[in-house]
């Protein structure tokens, strides 16, 4: 049964593991393109004044590519390719500058920017894999650049650089790990009903929308079921709210245990649950729900010294037999549920047919 590992949630988490969310990554890339593109124009002009025509040409061409990138980055489906191209070229270029014998010591501060950009744009795993080798290469280049590493001043410079690079990488790694965990927790909370652990209404609705789209493509059918516990108020009023909560949790468990992994269950609110049964015919979904109804009616739930018995009513709408839109399916299933309740409760009703009679509802302690 598919609840907490909701595919939409999975996709969101996958995006979260790539560093910033897509829209933020695009904004950051645009800002980076603008800043580096402009800086390259300035550097290019300075190189011309210094007489380094080839270097100036390279920098000006790179700045043109970056300005072109600003116009593309918002719409490109290949965001990851753009990010990798930018980071690998940028980091390699920074290393190249550091390798030039006349390079200023200040050029090496860019080594510390490597993990910041890589983690923000690629997330923890890929960010580490990309930044670690470039940072090591930067530190080694710095070592050779110092030349007089044997004297105390050189050793201090080298240690400052290495320590700062390690701390930078470590802190960013820790920060990104915590951020991913917090985001994962928030996603789960936002999509889950806290009491039962099932998908909440919004999560269930998006599963229904996705199921509709998939079934429209594959041509298969599914059933939307709305289930409501009968006279649930009596349980709350006679045994207390905690007993009511206990019943809701137990019913949630019974539903998830009985259904297939490809099916979905959610708590729509109060004592109402929603079920999506994939690849079933109307008649089969009816049989399955009647079996579930009987199982709920037969079970006795221990609570303290008492045994609680409840019954439930069901309404079924079938895609595509009854409707092909989520809203209409919901309306039909709801109408069927209402007719089950009106006919005496503890029943299953499907659209187009009259409710099938079952034994009367009971709530007994
Ligand atoms: N314990 C508990 N009770 C809840 C929760 N959410 C809603 N309820 C209660 O569920 C009850 C629903 O009552 P009604 O809407 O009258 O429905 P019912 O008593 O089940 O009657 P029918 O649906 O007509 O069979 C109310 O007493 C609500 O307070 C919850 O999270 N926990």
């Amino acid at each position: 049964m598919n609840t907490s590992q909701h595919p939409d949630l999975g996709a969101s988490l996958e995006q979260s593991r790539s560093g910033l969310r897509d829209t933020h990554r695009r904004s950051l890339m645009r800002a980076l393109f603008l800043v580096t593109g402009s800086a390259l124009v300035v550097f290019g002009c300075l190189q011309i004044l210094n007489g380094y025509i080839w270097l100036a040409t390279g920098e000006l061409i790179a700045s043109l590519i970056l300005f072109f990138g600003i116009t593309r980055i918002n719409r490109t489906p290949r965001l990851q390719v753009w990010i990798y191209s930018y980071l690998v070229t940028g980091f390699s270029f920074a290393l190249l500058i550091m390798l030039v014998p006349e390079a200023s010591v200040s050029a090496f501060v860019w080594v510390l920017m490597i993990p910041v950009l890589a983690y923000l744009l690629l997330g923890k795993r890929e960010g580490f894999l990309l930044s670690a080798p470039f940072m090591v290469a930067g530190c080694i280049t710095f070592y050779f650049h110092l030349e007089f590493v044997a004297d105390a001043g050189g050793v201090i410079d080298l240690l400052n650089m290495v320590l700062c690079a390690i701390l930078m990488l470590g802190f960013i790694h820790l920060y990104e790990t915590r951020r991913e965990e917090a985001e994962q927790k928030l996603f789960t909370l936002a999509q889950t009903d806290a009491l039962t652990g099932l998908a909440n209404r919004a999560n269930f609705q998006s599963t229904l929308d996705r199921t509709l789209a998939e079934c429209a493509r594959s041509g298969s059918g599914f059933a939307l079921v709305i289930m409501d516990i009968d006279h649930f108020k009596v349980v709350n009023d006679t045994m207390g709210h905690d007993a009511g909560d206990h019943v809701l949790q137990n019913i949630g468990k019974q539903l998830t245990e009985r259904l297939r992994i490809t099916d979905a269950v959610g708590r729509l609110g109060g004592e109402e649950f929603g079920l999506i049964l994939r690849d079933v015919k109307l008649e089969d979904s009816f049989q399955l729900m009647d079996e579930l109804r009987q199982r709920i009616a037969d079970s006795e739930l221990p609570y303290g010294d008492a045994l609680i018995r409840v019954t439930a009513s069901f309404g079924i709408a079938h895609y595509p037999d009854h409707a092909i839109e989520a809203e209409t399916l919901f309306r039909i299933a709801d109408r069927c549920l209402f007719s089950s309740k009106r006919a005496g409760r503890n029943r299953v009703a499907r659209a187009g047919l009259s409710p099938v009679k079952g034994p009367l509802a009971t709530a007994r302690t």
Side-chain angles (χ1 to χ4, degrees), residues 228-229 231-233 236 241 245 267 270-271 341 345:
D228 188 282
I229 305 173
H231 298 304
F232 186 61
K233 194 172 181 312
N236 271 337
H241 210 264
D245 284 354
R267 184 174 171 212
E271 79 290 19
K341 292 271 184 187
R345 295 176 173 79

Side-chain angles (χ1 to χ4, degrees), residues 193 195-196 228-237 240-248 267 269-272 311-313 337 341-342 345-346 361:
D193 170 57
L195 181 68
T196 58
D228 188 282
I229 305 173
D230 298 326
H231 298 304
F232 186 61
K233 194 172 181 312
V234 175
V235 179
N236 271 337
D237 290 350
H241 210 264
D242 282 350
D245 284 354
H246 192 56
V247 170
L248 289 171
R267 184 174 171 212
E271 79 290 19
E272 193 173 88
T311 59
S313 300
L337 172 65
K341 292 271 184 187
R342 208 178 38 190
R345 295 176 173 79
N346 190 20

Side-chain angles (χ1 to χ4, degrees), residues 173-192:
H173 194 82
L174 196 70
Y175 168 80
E176 184 61 21
T177 306
R178 296 278 178 277
R179 190 195 66 77
E180 273 181 18
E181 283 169 5
E183 196 161 22
Q184 182 148 7
K185 232 178 247 171
L186 270 179
F187 269 124
T188 310
L189 281 176
Q191 309 250 341
T192 309

Side-chain angles (χ1 to χ4, degrees), residues 8 33 77 97 101 123 150 178 213 234 263 274 284 293 334 342:
D8 284 352
F33 283 178
I97 297 288
R178 296 278 178 277
V234 175
D263 295 337
D284 295 337
R293 176 198 62 74
D334 213 29
R342 208 178 38 190

